[in-house]
Amino acid sequence: MAAAKKAVLGPLVGAVDQGTSSTRFLVFNSKTAELLSHHQVEIKQEFPREGWVEQDPKEILHSVYECVEKTCEKLGQLNIDISNIKAIGVSNQRETTVVWDKLTGEPLYNAVVWLDLRTQSTVESLSKKIPGNNNFVKSKTGLPISTYFSAVKLRWILDNVRKVQKAVEENRALFGTIDSWLIWSLTGGVNGGVHCTDVTNASRTMLFNIHSLEWDKELCEFFGIPMEILPNVRSSSEIYGLMKISHSPKAGALEGVPISGCLGDQSAALVGQMCFQDGQAKNTYGTGCFLLCNTGRKCVFSEHGLLTTVAYKLGRDKPVFYALEGSVAIAGAVTRWLKDNLGIIKTSEEIEKLAKEVGTSYGCYFVPAFSGLYAPYWDPSARGIICGLTQFTNKCHIAFAALEAVCFQTREILDAMNRDCGIPLSHLQVDGGMTCNKILMQLQADILYIPVVKPSMPETTALGAAMAAGAAEGVGVWSLEPEDLSAVTMERFEPQINAEESEIRYSTWKKAVMKSMGWVTTQSPESGIP
């Protein structure tokens, strides 16, 4: 019986999904896209000073080993032969910046996370150097100069960390986003590890020309980044190298399996939601909130504060696809803040229970601009506010207002997307950890006033990475032809309030946003480096 069961499954594909708050390893059946098993480990975030956000690259790497080992154990218990895993894909939190020593394999500094704000003064001085009539940074990268992207983080590290400066002088330093750090380590590290990234992750560094698809000499000179520390840029679906982690006996079972897919988490979710057509969009609710709309083979530049970014390039000889992106820094992170900082909930799931008790925020509005405001405002000086408080307000109203904040922020980026594309979305495809919160999903439909549609298997980010890995040339176990893609069962949330009420709430939200803006000046103490 066991043998028969093993034979039926056919080729499997693994996916490492390294997010801001947790790491997961998931294994899918490449023929049915069914999730067979997975394991998840939370990642610590360190806040050494106000506005600083760091993570330990070694903790991230070990969490990947742990997830791989535990998932392999679970597959064993299910009587599934792990030698059927034919490929592994990687998807990752984007922009987060790591510099390590290629001779010892040791990180030379903590990873500086995408949410980190320490580079505010770097951003201000660089912005002054861009001619007003020729924003070559925006036209080459599709991005505004912001603390969000890797180039300014890397500039800060090069300016402030002696160990890194020395390693660069001695030609020992390698830079990468999390995907590069993981792939280098998983393909042997100091013993021949492959130093590469894919076009989607490269397009978030601010050093990459999204038209020519290569590192840009002018951008590297502008940010003062030595090009020799940059990884090689590859497509999102090709064999980069083979798994080589013999020191981890249980994960060592995957020795020799190709790593053949790599996508930044938001691109991976776009692929996992099968948004392969021009005009298809998805919104992912993770630490932040990210709405991506496929714009096909053409770069569309936004007039309304959205980013232009690489969606995917699914093979060395395949065309590149672009996307418009609305990025919101704080979504799920607001739940974590209510839990860890205020202590009004003990688990993330509890927020739904509190919100349900009151069913309204009772005029309380929460703008969680903890890292400034991202799209569509790009105001780094904004900070979080809770307003409209009365003696009647309690923790349930604040919990409800926090969920509403996620929905209002999505509405702002959706409005911008509709204006840039000219064709309003008729429904919103959603995914990510927060989508299991039914109150949030219903609120989202009410506030957008269009149906919200969610796949019954919420792990679309990992699925996208697995699809890219399984479809790679030389692996070929996953077909991305439209007729071969499995139909996905969906859950729909229809708007249930009247449009007028929806509009009133949205305009009050906008008033709250205005009050959060322009809060921090460069002179204020938080931006100084002692």
Side-chain angles (χ1 to χ4, degrees), residues 120 124 380-383 518-528:
Q120 191 44 45
E124 283 164 23
S381 67
R383 285 297 175 272
W519 192 260
V520 181
T521 57
T522 314
Q523 280 66 48
S524 53
E526 79 159 71
S527 56

Side-chain angles (χ1 to χ4, degrees), residues 31 36 71 87 91 107 159 163 274 355 380 399 431 455 465 489 494 529:
K31 296 300 172 228
L36 299 175
T71 305
S91 126
D159 286 340
K163 259 170 81 176
M274 329 263 175
D431 57 78
T489 51
E494 302 283 345
I529 297 158

Side-chain angles (χ1 to χ4, degrees), residues 391-464:
Q391 282 169 314
F392 183 75
T393 313
N394 65 29
K395 64 181 184 180
C396 299
H397 300 116
I398 290 173
F400 196 95
L403 295 181
E404 276 192 316
V406 175
C407 300
F408 286 133
Q409 291 184 104
T410 297
R411 164 91 191 251
E412 291 188 304
I413 50 180
L414 188 78
D415 282 359
M417 192 76 76
N418 287 340
R419 288 204 291 276
D420 277 324
C421 297
I423 311 155
L425 290 176
S426 58
H427 64 275
L428 183 64
Q429 281 176 242
V430 301
D431 57 78
M434 287 189 94
T435 58
C436 56
N437 183 326
K438 291 208 171 5
I439 290 206
L440 179 73
M441 293 295 93
Q442 186 55 54
L443 264 177
Q444 189 65 88
D446 288 346
I447 286 168
L448 296 179
Y449 219 67
I450 56 173
V452 166
V453 182
K454 116 185 210 245
S456 53
M457 199 288 293
E459 302 288 354
T460 43
T461 300
L463 177 60

Side-chain angles (χ1 to χ4, degrees), residues 20 27 47 52 62 65 73 80 158 165 218 492 502:
T20 315
V27 174
F47 307 102
W52 292 31
H62 290 301
Y65 293 147
E73 279 175 22
I80 294 169
L158 291 169
Q165 295 160 354
E218 186 186 13
R492 272 174 87 89
S502 181

Side-chain angles (χ1 to χ4, degrees), residues 18 48 52 136 154 183 197 207 222 230 243 255 267 323-324 353 372 393 476:
Q18 205 299 300
W52 292 31
F136 66 93
L154 183 51
I183 291 173
T197 186
L207 301 170
F222 177 72
L230 302 177
M243 287 282 275
E255 192 79 7
S267 286
L324 271 175
K353 216 165 67 201
T393 313

